Amino acid sequence: MQIAISDKQSFSTNKKLEEIKDGYLVLPIFEGEKAKFSSELVSSFLKENPKFGKLYEVQLLYSPNLKIVLIGLGKKDKFDFGKLQNFAGAATKYLLAKTEEANLALPKGLSLSGEQIGQALSIGIQLMDHDPSLDYKSKKEPHKLKKINLLSSDPKLRQGLERGNLLSGSINLARKLADMPANELSPTVFLNHAKDLAKANNLEITVLDEAHAKKKGMGAFVGVAQGSDEPSYLIALEYTGNSSSKEKWGLLGKGITFDSGGISIKPSSNMHEMKYDMCGAAAVLATMQVLAKLKVKNNIVGIMAVTENLPGGKAQRPGDIVRTYSGKTAEVLNTDAEGRLVLIDAIAWAQKDFKANKLIDLATLTGAIVISLGDFNTGVFTNNVQFAKQLINAGGQVGEKYWLMPMDEDYDEMIKGEIGDITNIGHGGSMPGAAGSITGAKFIEAGVKENIPWIHLDIAGTAWDSKPKPYRGAGATGVGIKTLVKLIEGDK
Ligand code: BES
Ligand code: MN
Ligand code: ZN
């Protein structure tokens, strides 16, 4: 989608808006706001409907030539980057099939910089414009909307738009991969995307296939991979932006291209959604692309553990004990708790072979986090609360919400092994699955060396939407990418 800044004239005053006499004009309205816009149409509507303005509420008003689309912004004191992004998404959603070009007025009096405003608007528009069904429907209905004119005179908007377009391009790549069905996105196809991206962005790539992973002693990864006939890979992409620094970020992504549960097979209802079990790996891939394009002054390794979890003839069995690359042994009591298995080896690989010393993993790890937090907050687990607070704060600045979960030592008992060191599901709680997201995080933590700051993001609730949102279509969301870029870039 083309996003232009209206160069006709300055739109810093509402008076100028009245110069738009035809076509579509989107007008943001805060809840309870008295419109200063002197259009008779708008002011009489708001007089009749004084409660208009609830978040993402839409109302069309029209005179013969001008169609005004009012969009509610909710309460002004609660407005932020994320809601501005979503406002642009809601506007785009309304316009997509209706017109080729539209004008969009900006909310006034925001406590965001012009750069942030441009970024938020661009991301909201481009994320809504992305439509995975266009790759599959035989009868395509491409979006009519081609161009949005932002009515603003702020010169800072332009650099924000550029950055927003860069970010949303990568976010939409991650979403596209995640929305692909598992028959089209095998681990090998994912690897090919990673290879292309590495080449285009000058990233160093290292790939371990199953045989190589086995030889290195990555028994947990191999245990999961062996149930599928498709080849599996551990992929590392490296970016070096500050060769004189020893600091090295390790970003790790769970990349299960399909999770059937393995021998501990899942119930069939909603199993099709387990094509999304690679959203962590897609987020890592996209984040590496953005960081490289922005030429950040940091060192980063992005690791993706990519395999299917299937119950083939060679599949691992409940009760198997695997030797992980961390040195610890793990009892596989449930083959459906496979994400933590692939990640414990990936995280050891990041530390031992790449010397990463600041770790963040992203994983659609547990159904339990969906029960706890629903669609809106990503669960945060850490061995270093200060580090996690930096991430949560970065998320707040870019409209991604996080919630810090407990990691007390008390929970360690719940993954203690009978004959192995640790178990891949929790036990000893007051009901099966008790503290399911925390015991999952505890398992991954077992692969983290002492004094290495580490954050685990359980994105199972936030990585995809089963139903459309008022500001974004259904499917993968690309969660995490904006936050990671903000956090890492801020740490120079
Ligand atoms: N990929 C799933 C987690 C998941 C489930 C994400 C539903 C989103 C929606 C993960 O591999 C899994 O199966 N976790 C199990 C763990 C359990 C066996 C301890 C779960 O959450 O049920
Ligand atoms: Mn599973
Ligand atoms: Zn899974």
Side-chain angles (χ1 to χ4, degrees):
M1 180 90 60
Q2 192 193 343
I3 307 173
I5 299 172
S6 181
D7 46 9
K8 287 179 212 149
Q9 51 214 297
S10 158
F11 281 96
S12 54
T13 62
N14 282 320
K15 201 162 181 327
K16 293 282 183 190
L17 287 178
E18 289 155 42
E19 290 169 15
I20 296 179
K21 299 266 188 251
D22 54 15
Y24 276 90
L25 168 63
V26 176
L27 213 58
I29 305 282
F30 284 108
E31 199 173 330
E33 183 183 34
K34 302 258 182 309
K36 294 185 199 85
F37 188 57
S38 64
S39 151
E40 190 48 42
L41 207 55
V42 177
S43 47
S44 61
F45 172 81
L46 290 178
K47 210 172 277 167
E48 287 288 313
N49 300 276
K51 290 201 170 136
F52 183 86
K54 300 221 162 45
L55 202 52
Y56 317 133
E57 186 177 15
V58 182
Q59 175 71 47
L60 174 69
L61 304 175
Y62 53 95
S63 60
N65 297 318
L66 180 64
K67 298 188 178 73
I68 300 181
V69 184
L70 303 182
I71 298 195
L73 302 179
K75 299 234 160 61
K76 189 159 190 174
D77 58 347
K78 288 194 171 156
F79 200 71
D80 60 9
F81 183 101
K83 287 177 182 166
L84 182 62
Q85 176 185 321
N86 294 344
F87 151 70
T92 307
K93 180 172 183 159
Y94 186 86
L95 300 164
L96 273 178
K98 295 194 172 65
T99 175
E100 286 188 6
E101 188 171 343
N103 295 307
L104 192 123
L106 274 48
K108 298 282 185 300
L110 300 182
S111 52
L112 295 167
S113 68
E115 210 265 337
Q116 287 174 303
I117 292 173
Q119 225 187 102
L121 294 173
S122 145
I123 296 172
I125 292 167
Q126 306 295 14
L127 260 51
M128 189 64 228
D129 191 32
H130 169 92
D131 181 355
S133 81
L134 291 177
D135 289 335
Y136 299 98
K137 293 262 193 228
S138 50
K139 228 176 139 206
K140 294 186 203 318
E141 289 172 39
H143 299 153
K144 197 166 170 192
L145 188 65
K146 296 281 177 296
K147 187 176 178 195
I148 292 183
N149 300 307
L150 305 180
L151 305 180
S152 169
S153 56
D154 189 339
K156 291 268 175 56
L157 219 57
R158 193 166 305 279
Q159 70 193 80
L161 282 184
E162 274 167 27
R163 192 186 162 98
N165 283 339
L166 189 149
L167 269 162
S168 54
S170 294
I171 295 171
N172 282 341
L173 167 68
R175 296 171 78 202
K176 179 195 163 85
L177 296 178
D179 283 314
M180 281 170 79
N183 62 329
E184 292 201 1
L185 190 86
S186 62
T188 305
V189 173
F190 188 99
L191 171 64
N192 289 336
H193 279 279
K195 282 181 176 166
D196 291 349
L197 191 146
K199 199 163 177 199
N201 295 284
N202 252 319
L203 301 172
E204 203 173 318
I205 181 164
T206 310
V207 182
L208 299 182
D209 62 16
E210 264 171 86
H212 203 154
K214 192 169 186 171
K215 215 156 104 196
K216 281 182 82 74
M218 299 174 161
F221 175 76
V222 171
V224 176
Q226 73 195 33
S228 165
D229 288 346
E230 287 288 337
S232 304
Y233 309 97
L234 277 158
I235 309 167
L237 297 178
E238 281 177 280
Y239 171 84
T240 306
N242 184 357
S243 48
S244 63
S245 164
K246 282 222 155 34
E247 182 180 270
K248 189 165 187 180
W249 293 78
L251 306 179
L252 302 110
K254 171 178 175 182
I256 305 294
T257 59
F258 189 76
D259 180 12
S260 72
I263 296 295
S264 313
I265 200 159
K266 287 181 179 298
S268 47
S269 64
N270 294 327
M271 200 205 272
H272 63 281
E273 292 201 331
M274 284 298 114
K275 69 173 182 177
Y276 289 118
D277 214 16
M278 37 57 73
C279 284
V284 168
L285 186 65
T287 301
M288 292 305 293
Q289 183 176 47
V290 179
L291 293 171
K293 289 212 159 111
L294 289 176
K295 300 194 166 62
V296 297
K297 303 258 183 302
N298 312 80
N299 307 318
I300 308 117
V301 58
I303 290 182
M304 293 146 279
V306 190
T307 177
E308 294 184 299
N309 185 23
L310 289 186
K314 295 240 161 56
Q316 68 179 342
R317 297 134 292 240
D320 282 4
I321 298 180
V322 293
R323 293 170 195 282
T324 75
Y325 193 45
S326 72
K328 292 185 176 149
T329 58
E331 299 175 17
V332 180
L333 300 184
N334 188 317
T335 65
D336 196 12
E338 84 296 340
R340 61 200 76 181
L341 290 169
V342 303
L343 282 170
I344 196 170
D345 279 346
I347 219 161
W349 196 37
Q351 294 164 94
K352 283 192 186 178
D353 294 44
F354 297 96
K355 308 289 174 233
N357 47 24
K358 224 170 169 181
L359 307 170
I360 302 175
D361 76 74
L362 296 93
T364 46
L365 203 77
T366 64
I369 202 70
V370 193
I371 306 288
S372 307
L373 302 177
D375 297 9
F376 298 103
N377 279 273
T378 291
V380 180
F381 304 80
T382 189
N383 60 3
N384 185 322
V385 170
Q386 203 192 324
F387 183 32
K389 283 189 173 157
Q390 288 168 6
L391 179 138
I392 293 168
N393 180 45
Q397 292 176 53
V398 295
E400 293 188 319
K401 294 193 269 194
Y402 295 88
W403 196 259
L404 186 62
M405 302 288 284
M407 282 288 275
D408 313 51
E409 290 165 332
D410 309 63
Y411 297 100
D412 290 332
E413 203 59 37
M414 296 180 78
I415 61 159
K416 230 178 221 144
E418 184 98 0
I419 49 174
D421 294 323
I422 47 177
T423 59
N424 82 326
I425 57 172
H427 50 78
S430 47
M431 61 183 275
S437 304
I438 302 171
T439 51
K442 279 285 173 187
F443 186 95
I444 300 171
E445 188 186 30
V448 178
K449 287 188 198 157
E450 217 160 314
N451 298 325
I452 300 282
W454 155 82
I455 296 169
H456 157 60
L457 301 176
D458 194 336
I459 58 172
T462 49
W464 75 91
D465 290 319
S466 305
K467 282 190 279 177
K469 292 264 192 295
Y471 45 83
R472 188 177 58 214
T477 62
V479 73
I481 300 163
K482 285 188 295 176
T483 302
L484 291 178
V485 171
K486 183 93 202 163
L487 176 69
I488 294 172
E489 205 192 15
D491 171 65
K492 277 176 213 157

